[in-house]
Amino acid sequence: MLAVDTGVVEEWLSEFKTLPEASISSYAASLNDRTALISSLYKVIQEPQSELLEPVCHQLFEFYRSGEEKLLRFTLQFLPELMWCYLAVSASRDLQSSGCIEALLLGVYNLEIVDKEGHSKVLSFTIPSLSKPSIYHEPSSIGSMALTEGALSQHGLSRVVYSGPHPQREMLTAQNRFEVLTFLLLCYNAALSYMPAMSLQSLCQICSRICVCGYPRQQVRKYKGVNSRIPVSSEFMVQMLTGIYYAFYNGEWDLARKAMDDVLYRAQLELYPEPLLVANAIKASLPQGAMKSSKEGTRCIQVEITPTSSRISRNAVTSMSIRGHRWKRHEQPENGNDATELGNFIIPEISVTSVAGERTGNGEKSRALADNDVQHLQGVQETATDPRTDSKGLPEIRRQKSVRKMMEDGINSSGRVQF
């Protein structure tokens, strides 16, 4: 560490102690513009044996509990680097040199799990419904969704997941280490939009280091220092991917791509389903061949915006569509109606003999035929009154007259038959 960096850090440590309370807001707003100070603080944190590490950690904790939002975010931007330093020292089993870092992490954790009144916080997360549009998706682009009773019962309902309350921690152990670090990384991700580029770069670099240390890929990445494997939890890797995904579209494409590949590599080795699912989903959603430079600034995600004018999907089930479907089912084609009616028309059979062998008198047979003829004529008249055949009324009348004449001739002829 250079003497210039040491001087900048020492000046920063002394100026806050003499700062009047009325000037804290303006002082906090000017901190993010002091890039030389931020770079020097990173160098102090990266050297566990530095004499300035303990006062720097104490000062960062004072910023965090001051209540000033900008001072809190100033401390949060160093959180990824602090986590890496703590995990690296823990892997080397030199816990004494990481005491001040552990105290800072525990202090931030214990402040975040309670509200201003000292009560335990319960965080809630609302899982979005695919049936409702959002900035990430449009329901019509997913495909036709079955309009079942179960889908209708779930429409409009939101599923909420709760996290907490979290217990107070006095020290970090192997059992609770990643429970605390996962929660801290969750707090960091909640303020991602306020993090400077240097913090996003640090996040991507420490994600790669944590995932490949002690594995063959460490030789490919040429990482030096820690050669032993650092255990990680599935939940911690998911939080890492959340920050990496944000870095993709905010000027750190190259580092984020490398970090995501390393996290996916570690998730495959550990067989963790949640990081595998999230990493593959991110990888599949990335644009192909875009954003090759990491110095082009902030990028935006292309999304489909729901139009303000109301529109009805073509596949929507409405009363009009049901009525139209019923009409189509009962309608018959116009062409060939005459041929169909003529083909289906049954010409009455006029019997002159009793085929069954039973002889009847002429009068009885005439009366039976007359009754049958009347019934048949009534059926023909009912058919003619069908609304669909009103336009063909004239041919129907002619057909009825010809049938009646044919029946009369048959009746008269049957009366003259001699047995």
Side-chain angles (χ1 to χ4, degrees):
M1 186 174 178
L2 300 177
V4 178
D5 298 325
T6 303
V8 171
V9 174
E10 289 178 348
E11 181 182 357
W12 171 72
L13 291 172
S14 59
E15 65 185 5
F16 184 72
K17 297 178 181 178
T18 59
L19 193 68
E21 189 173 353
S23 305
I24 292 180
S25 298
S26 58
Y27 171 77
S30 64
L31 280 177
N32 287 330
D33 298 331
R34 301 170 62 176
T35 55
L37 170 63
I38 295 174
S39 179
S40 300
L41 289 175
Y42 272 107
K43 293 179 181 179
V44 172
I45 295 172
Q46 291 168 0
E47 293 186 9
Q49 307 299 330
S50 175
E51 297 179 355
L52 293 175
L53 182 59
E54 184 174 352
V56 165
C57 290
H58 178 75
Q59 183 86 312
L60 292 176
F61 181 69
E62 291 294 330
F63 278 8
Y64 202 87
R65 69 174 186 176
S66 64
E68 180 64 34
E69 193 70 23
K70 294 182 179 179
L71 291 179
L72 184 147
R73 295 169 187 163
F74 183 81
T75 300
L76 275 181
Q77 69 178 319
F78 300 102
L79 208 55
E81 196 69 34
L82 291 167
M83 290 182 182
W84 161 248
C85 293
Y86 170 75
L87 292 174
V89 172
S90 300
S92 62
R93 298 183 179 181
D94 187 13
L95 299 179
Q96 294 182 354
S97 59
S98 65
C100 54
I101 297 178
E102 180 180 346
L104 175 58
L105 295 176
L106 280 173
V108 174
Y109 169 80
N110 289 326
L111 286 175
E112 281 294 334
I113 63 174
V114 296
D115 54 17
K116 295 181 179 180
E117 298 178 356
H119 302 297
S120 297
K121 286 183 182 178
V122 178
L123 304 179
S124 61
F125 306 90
T126 302
I127 300 178
S129 173
L130 293 179
S131 62
K132 295 183 178 181
S134 69
I135 63 171
Y136 298 105
H137 83 289
E138 185 71 24
S140 59
S141 63
I142 298 177
S144 60
M145 302 182 68
L147 193 62
T148 60
E149 183 179 354
L152 289 174
S153 63
Q154 295 296 327
H155 183 73
L157 298 179
S158 300
R159 182 182 175 188
V160 182
V161 179
Y162 297 96
S163 174
H166 298 275
Q168 294 276 344
R169 300 294 183 185
E170 296 181 358
M171 63 180 300
L172 294 177
T173 62
Q175 288 77 19
N176 63 22
R177 179 177 300 154
F178 279 98
E179 179 186 346
V180 174
L181 295 181
T182 301
F183 183 81
L184 290 176
L185 200 54
L186 174 66
C187 298
Y188 176 84
N189 290 334
L192 271 175
S193 58
Y194 303 101
M195 295 298 107
M198 195 174 297
S199 181
L200 296 178
Q201 295 170 10
S202 174
L203 173 67
C204 296
Q205 291 170 357
I206 69 106
C207 289
S208 292
R209 288 179 177 271
I210 290 174
C211 291
V212 304
C213 280
Y215 291 92
R217 183 170 284 200
Q218 183 178 5
Q219 305 300 326
V220 178
R221 299 300 190 199
K222 298 180 180 180
Y223 293 148
K224 298 180 181 180
V226 181
N227 296 320
S228 57
R229 297 179 181 180
I230 299 176
V232 291
S233 65
S234 175
E235 295 80 8
F236 185 75
M237 295 179 73
V238 170
Q239 293 300 328
M240 286 196 297
L241 287 169
T242 303
I244 292 170
Y245 185 53
Y246 180 84
F248 265 112
Y249 298 94
N250 288 272
E252 305 300 333
W253 177 270
D254 297 332
L255 286 176
R257 188 57 183 261
K258 184 188 297 184
M260 190 197 66
D261 291 340
D262 292 337
V263 173
L264 184 58
Y265 167 79
R266 181 65 179 272
Q268 292 171 346
L269 293 176
E270 300 285 355
L271 295 179
Y272 286 153
E274 292 85 359
L276 282 173
L277 177 64
V278 176
N280 284 315
I282 293 174
K283 192 173 182 180
S285 67
L286 294 178
Q288 299 295 331
M291 307 181 191
K292 295 182 179 179
S293 176
S294 61
K295 299 180 181 180
E296 297 182 4
T298 302
R299 293 280 182 165
C300 58
I301 304 175
Q302 296 181 358
V303 295
E304 181 182 356
I305 304 299
T306 305
T308 55
S309 60
S310 60
R311 67 180 184 183
I312 301 177
S313 174
R314 294 181 178 179
N315 298 327
V317 180
T318 61
S319 59
M320 290 297 295
S321 64
I322 295 174
R323 190 178 302 123
H325 178 71
R326 187 184 302 116
W327 289 342
K328 290 178 181 178
R329 185 176 61 185
H330 291 290
E331 284 178 355
Q332 294 181 357
E334 294 293 335
N335 298 332
N337 278 350
D338 295 340
T340 304
E341 293 174 357
L342 290 175
N344 295 334
F345 180 74
I346 302 174
I347 299 176
E349 297 179 358
I350 309 301
S351 300
V352 295
T353 58
S354 180
V355 183
E358 182 178 357
R359 300 179 65 178
T360 60
N362 291 340
E364 295 176 359
K365 191 165 188 177
S366 299
R367 285 194 299 271
L369 288 172
D371 295 338
N372 293 335
D373 294 340
V374 171
Q375 293 178 2
H376 185 76
L377 286 173
Q378 290 177 355
V380 172
Q381 292 174 2
E382 290 177 359
T383 305
T385 58
D386 193 339
R388 291 175 293 179
T389 59
D390 286 346
S391 60
K392 304 180 182 60
L394 186 58
E396 271 304 323
I397 295 173
R398 292 176 181 175
R399 192 179 298 112
Q400 291 177 18
K401 291 181 179 179
S402 62
V403 171
R404 188 181 300 110
K405 185 177 182 302
M406 183 174 56
M407 290 181 178
E408 291 174 355
D409 294 343
I411 294 172
N412 295 332
S413 63
S414 62
R416 294 192 296 268
V417 175
Q418 300 295 328
F419 292 95

